[in-house]
Amino acid sequence: MENVSNKFKLNSAMRKQAVRPKTGFWLVVLGAALWGADPLFRIILLREQITPTQIVLLEHIIIALFVAPMLWKHRSELKGLKLRHIGALLFLSWGGSAIATILFTLGLTHGNLNAVLLLQKLQPIFAILMARVLLKEKLPKKFGWLLIMALAGTYLLTFGFSFPFGHVNDFVKVGSLLSLGAAALWGGSTVMGRLMVGKMEYETVTSLRFILALPLLIVITINQGDPWHVPSGAGTFAAVTINLLGQALLPGLFSLMVYYKGLTTTKASVATLAELSFPMVGVLINWIAFHELVKFHQICGFVLIWAVLFIISRRSAKEA
């Protein structure tokens, strides 16, 4: 009878372990989907003459107040950190949380909103390249051809079916370049996040991501010297405050908590497909809130990039 009980417990534990990756996948989907709501808050704040750097700084101050007790609770995990862990945390906070968010916010002020959002699907490509350089992971088979396909999709998202060989401003689209910079930094942050989630609890990684970014953001904001525009009317001030809180807590803190929790049990190749919820929700919100319709060349570009990610995911799953 005892053997039957032990077998039942073992089978129950195995079923729970089998369910966890599925749960992790949907947590990644939810976390990435919440990022899609980010432009809704940022664009409203930008209209109130708050600069991108000021928005990101205020966002991090609000989040830091919420995560500071969490970091204090897990402070014992800071012991024994090696230089590579410190470097990964600085990349996560300075690159992925501070600079990338500033670039993304700036990108929203230049060019097509949907292009800025959809270009974020290049993040996994940057993540794969950085994993190859830093973690010595093997590149997927025929990655060169897949990279060309992804670049073709990027071209369609940025320029459409035209040939931008006229004026330099037609060739270099500021919004797209800023979005690509953010995608590169966020793609690298995925690699660093996977490294740190294996070392620390996901709550600690999330806390350090925002708190360590604060000194850099303060220096950048002071160096820029832009004046602070405080809304004069009570209604406007309340609207700005609500938007700041909503942006910081929903697509900011809560989304990353959910995302990192899901990432602990989800393979990077599977998480890549789960993150497709980010641009899709963002484009949907742009359509509903800002009447920004998706153009045919953007759909074509997105399909090309999605196809590349799908092929990479399938090959990674077979090699696992």
Side-chain angles (χ1 to χ4, degrees):
M1 193 70 181
E2 184 178 351
N3 291 335
V4 174
S5 176
N6 289 336
K7 287 182 180 179
F8 177 78
K9 292 179 180 178
L10 180 61
N11 290 335
S12 177
M14 291 176 65
R15 282 196 299 270
K16 288 182 179 179
Q17 289 178 353
V19 171
R20 286 184 66 192
K22 294 181 182 179
T23 304
F25 172 82
W26 289 111
L27 287 175
V28 173
V29 169
L30 176 59
L34 290 172
W35 299 339
D38 189 87
L40 179 62
F41 298 100
R42 291 188 190 277
I43 291 173
I44 293 174
L45 292 172
L46 287 168
R47 289 175 178 174
E48 297 299 328
Q49 297 183 326
I50 305 176
T51 68
T53 305
Q54 290 170 349
I55 291 174
V56 177
L57 174 60
L58 290 172
E59 173 190 5
H60 279 68
I61 291 174
I62 293 171
I63 295 176
L65 294 175
F66 280 87
V67 300
M70 191 185 306
L71 181 60
W72 178 256
K73 179 182 178 181
H74 295 273
R75 64 188 183 278
S76 60
E77 296 182 31
L78 300 178
K79 297 178 181 179
L81 288 179
K82 299 180 180 178
L83 282 177
R84 66 190 185 105
H85 297 131
I86 296 174
L89 286 171
L90 289 177
F91 189 99
L92 268 175
S93 57
W94 290 9
S97 194
I99 298 175
T101 312
I102 291 174
L103 292 177
F104 181 75
T105 308
L106 280 169
L108 293 175
T109 65
H110 298 82
N112 186 278
L113 300 181
N114 287 334
V116 172
L117 277 168
L118 294 176
L119 280 170
Q120 294 309 306
K121 283 320 300 167
L122 284 174
Q123 287 182 37
I125 303 296
F126 291 115
I128 290 170
L129 290 173
M130 286 198 68
R132 170 61 180 149
V133 174
L134 298 177
L135 304 180
K136 307 303 179 184
E137 293 183 0
K138 291 183 179 179
L139 292 174
K141 293 180 180 179
K142 299 181 180 179
F143 182 73
W145 288 106
L146 294 173
L147 181 60
I148 292 174
M149 284 178 60
L151 292 175
T154 305
Y155 182 93
L156 288 175
L157 283 174
T158 308
F159 304 117
F161 296 104
S162 61
F163 294 92
F165 298 122
H167 196 273
V168 67
N169 290 335
D170 296 329
F171 182 75
V172 181
K173 293 201 173 183
V174 177
S176 296
L177 292 179
L178 292 170
S179 183
L180 285 173
L185 289 171
W186 278 330
S189 295
T190 299
V191 178
M192 301 304 176
R194 285 291 293 176
L195 174 65
M196 294 312 301
V197 164
K199 175 68 177 177
M200 298 174 165
E201 294 291 333
Y202 71 94
E203 298 97 334
T204 312
V205 176
T206 306
S207 303
L208 289 171
R209 178 185 176 117
F210 290 107
I211 290 177
L212 291 178
L214 274 177
L216 177 63
L217 286 170
I218 292 172
V219 170
I220 294 175
T221 305
I222 294 174
N223 184 61
Q224 288 182 344
D226 294 316
W228 289 82
H229 296 279
V230 181
S232 55
T236 306
F237 182 81
V240 169
T241 303
I242 292 172
N243 271 282
L244 273 172
L245 286 172
Q247 174 191 304
L249 300 181
L250 187 61
L253 175 59
F254 181 67
S255 66
L256 276 176
M257 290 287 289
V258 172
Y259 176 80
Y260 280 132
K261 175 65 175 176
L263 204 60
T264 58
T265 57
T266 307
K267 293 181 179 179
S269 57
V270 178
T272 290
L273 293 179
E275 290 172 17
L276 285 170
S277 59
F278 166 38
M280 289 297 94
V281 171
V283 168
L284 181 63
I285 288 178
N286 282 345
W287 173 48
I288 296 173
F290 305 112
H291 309 291
E292 190 80 34
L293 296 177
V294 181
K295 299 177 181 178
F296 178 69
H297 66 79
Q298 292 176 333
I299 295 175
C300 293
F302 178 78
V303 168
L304 273 176
I305 295 174
W306 186 90
V308 169
L309 299 180
F310 180 77
I311 293 170
I312 290 174
S313 177
R314 292 293 297 271
R315 290 180 177 176
S316 299
K318 288 180 181 179
E319 293 173 1

